[in-house]
Amino acid sequence: MEKVHTKNYVTGPLTIPGLWAQRPVGTINQGFLIQGVMVKCIAIVLSGCGVYDGTEIHEASAVLVHLSRAGAKVQMFAPDMDQMHVVNHCEGKPTAEKRNVLQESARIARGDVSDLTKLDITAFDALVIPGGFGVAKNLSDWAVKGKEYTVQPQVEKLIKGFHGVGKPLAMCCISPVLAARALPGCEITVGQDSECERWPYAQTATTMTELGCKHVNKNVGEVHVDVKNKLVTTSAFMCNAPIHEVFDGVGVMVTELLKLA
């Protein structure tokens, strides 16, 4: 057995300073057993900070709140690389400034974020990737190449790695495009496939179908669970919806993820 100190790792009411939990060395998909409660260990991959060039902050916060409420242990990661570009969020226009994805992600993580290269799949029960244009610009080149896009190699390796050992994944907003490339033929939702004021990015669903995925139309408060691939997706801000509806939809995603973990 190895001793794993839970201080600074277990979120919410289960945090007990100085408590030691035990798990068998090499244990996979068993989390931590603390006072008879199984605590799941969840890795979150960020892509910067800010909807137009990084992680969508509200989506990331929603993921963290719902995981905290469920008593999960969370660790955040991001690639140590330059952003594709930096966007002035007041004007929605690129600037000449340079920023680092890992350093920007630290803003969301309150400084507690690790280089993506240090993510050890055996230490976690599931992987979550919130949305934001950073997914399409930093974790992939979807924003530039569209249908001909590729996924950042480290990110693709991790998605395939979690999938390969039967550990579940959750993605919201635009991040399901990462699964579409890494897990050909998977089932996902990015919301609806008919464009309107409420669904301005519906063309993404059509493209996912063209890539060989099965797209399932879902409303913002709903998720789709690809049982075969243990993949949970929801639309989040792909829908022009009130923030509380997005928050609730992310909550459903987290709940379904933890059922699979």
Side-chain angles (χ1 to χ4, degrees), residues 185-189 213-216 224-227 229 231 233:
C186 65
E187 301 175 4
I188 61 173
T189 188
C213 292
K214 178 181 178 180
H215 181 267
V216 182
H224 179 67
V225 180
D226 180 346
V227 177
N229 291 299
L231 173 64
T233 53

Side-chain angles (χ1 to χ4, degrees), residues 45-49 53-54 77-86 97-106 113-117 133-141 150-156:
V45 174
L46 302 177
S47 58
C49 181
D53 57 15
F77 298 87
D80 186 2
M81 59 182 284
D82 287 340
Q83 294 183 182
M84 188 191 91
H85 62 188
V86 176
E97 189 177 353
K98 297 288 185 181
R99 295 193 183 185
N100 177 276
V101 175
L102 179 61
Q103 293 174 11
E104 289 299 293
S105 297
V113 63
S114 299
D115 188 331
L116 192 60
T117 59
F133 276 97
V135 169
K137 296 177 178 180
N138 304 325
L139 303 188
S140 73
D141 53 13
T150 58
V151 178
Q152 201 265 359
Q154 286 180 319
V155 176
E156 184 170 14

Side-chain angles (χ1 to χ4, degrees), residues 59 131 172-173 190 199 220 222 234-241 246 249-250:
E59 290 178 15
C172 59
C173 194
V190 290
W199 296 99
V220 67
E222 300 175 317
T234 192
S235 61
F237 279 110
M238 294 294 277
C239 180
N240 185 19
V246 173
V250 171

Side-chain angles (χ1 to χ4, degrees), residues 21 42 64 92 142 144 184 189 194 197 206-207 217 220 239 250:
I42 313 298
L64 291 168
W142 167 268
V144 177
T189 188
S194 181
E197 183 178 357
T206 302
T207 304
N217 284 341
V220 67
C239 180
V250 171

Side-chain angles (χ1 to χ4, degrees), residues 28-31 40-45 67 119 121 124-129 158-171 179 183 224-233 253-261:
I28 296 177
N29 266 31
Q30 290 192 354
K40 295 298 181 179
C41 309
I42 313 298
I44 300 175
V45 174
L67 285 172
L119 199 166
I121 294 173
F124 295 93
D125 298 294
L127 176 68
V128 181
I129 307 180
L158 284 170
I159 292 172
K160 290 181 175 180
F162 273 86
H163 177 264
V165 294
K167 295 186 176 184
L169 307 106
M171 303 181 192
L183 306 175
H224 179 67
V225 180
D226 180 346
V227 177
K228 178 182 177 181
N229 291 299
K230 291 190 175 182
L231 173 64
V232 186
T233 53
M253 180 187 76
V254 167
T255 297
E256 294 302 319
L257 175 75
L258 292 176
K259 289 179 182 178
L260 297 173

